[in-house]
Amino acid sequence: MERNNAHTILVTKTVQQVRDQVRAWKKEGLSVGLVPTMGFLHQGHGSLIKKAVEDNDRVIVSDFVNPTQFGPGEDLEAYPRDFEADRAFCQDLGAAMIFNPEPKDMYQDPKAYVNIEGLSDGLCGASRPVHFRGVCTVVSKLFNITGADRAYFGQKDAQQLAIVKKMVEDLNFPIEIVACPIVREADGLAMSSRNTYLSKEERQAALCLSKAIFKGQESIREGMAAKDLLDLMGEVIGQEPLAKIDYIDLVDARMLEPLDRVQGKVLVAMAVYIGKTRLIDNFIWEEK
Ligand code: PAF
């Protein structure tokens, strides 16, 4: 694979700039990987970028806080942003381009949206009704704008990943979706840009999510039944006074349909409020 060493990362703001550059790369026969992000990058994003740089000749990181995936009263305005740090981070990891459009360049009075039915309704979709429509719309746009050969998504957003895979399958996008494992802090907390909202006390309390995940993994390995497993994980969270469970569910990992027993490949996923911050975590288990 041809490397893009000793480069200065290209910063693009418009769709046309991205298209012109990608056309030039494709003319040279270079492969293109896309890492879609909302910026405020951390090592979780870093693992996606590293994998993309390994697999592709050129990597584009999109850095765009997408307004259509935030519902009324959610944290669109407060969402953390630091473009200069993101630019340096992507450059260090070897990305060739960072695409940082303004909302007005991505959306001009939009009337077309992409919605994946069924898979978007449960789990996070139940409390965030417009979220996955916004994600699928912006991700479709990014696929069309970049013409990337591969796109990289983190397993931490397990529902998003399952929905994007189904969207690619249903709408015949000519792109390969590459799933990358959850990256955790040394003490277990799954990395997330939203961790920055947590006070010192809340940061400590947030460890109840990964504790419940690790307990769940151990118990499922030992053959615990689905209901007992969810109850046990709920008890672990329940011991933390600052935590409030939004959901803990066990679903089929591909179609996200609720299951009342552990069978095939399952996703155990949760969303928990720590104070006002809503955090998610999950694990996948496959019966051997
Ligand atoms: O996972 C995210 O950060 C966002 O949902 C994504 C995929 C970049 C779309 O805005």
Side-chain angles (χ1 to χ4, degrees), residues 35-39 45 62 64-66 69 79 131 134-136 138-139 142 153-154 157 160 164:
V35 182
T37 82
M38 297 209 300
H45 299 109
S62 63
F64 177 61
V65 181
N66 171 39
Q69 69 189 73
Y79 198 84
H131 177 65
V135 169
C136 288
V138 81
V139 167
L142 291 167
F153 291 85
D157 295 290
Q160 167 171 286
V164 168

Side-chain angles (χ1 to χ4, degrees), residues 1-4 31-33 35 46-59 93-95 150 152 178 180:
M1 201 128 302
E2 191 192 316
R3 284 280 152 257
N4 184 30
S31 61
V32 177
V35 182
S47 72
L48 307 181
I49 299 169
K50 282 182 202 154
K51 174 81 176 113
V53 167
E54 261 168 49
D55 293 351
N56 301 277
D57 298 309
R58 296 289 182 269
V59 170
L93 292 179
R150 299 182 191 87
Y152 295 77
V178 182
C180 300

Side-chain angles (χ1 to χ4, degrees), residues 107-120:
Y107 295 108
Q108 296 98 24
D109 188 22
K111 299 285 181 259
Y113 293 94
V114 182
N115 193 33
I116 304 304
E117 294 177 359
L119 285 83
S120 302

Side-chain angles (χ1 to χ4, degrees), residues 171-234:
L171 300 181
N172 305 97
F173 279 101
I175 193 165
E176 181 192 339
I177 301 303
V178 182
C180 300
I182 296 178
V183 179
R184 298 183 180 279
E185 304 282 359
D187 61 5
L189 182 67
M191 288 194 184
S192 162
S193 304
R194 288 191 169 98
N195 291 349
T196 183
Y197 296 152
L198 301 169
S199 68
K200 205 162 165 231
E201 200 188 359
E202 289 171 341
R203 171 67 183 73
Q204 194 56 31
L207 292 179
C208 68
L209 279 94
S210 51
K211 276 190 200 143
I213 290 291
F214 300 149
K215 192 79 199 155
Q217 283 173 320
E218 184 188 309
S219 308
I220 212 168
R221 262 200 304 271
E222 287 165 1
M224 186 177 272
K227 179 165 181 327
D228 296 341
L229 179 84
L230 298 180
D231 287 350
L232 178 65
M233 291 173 69

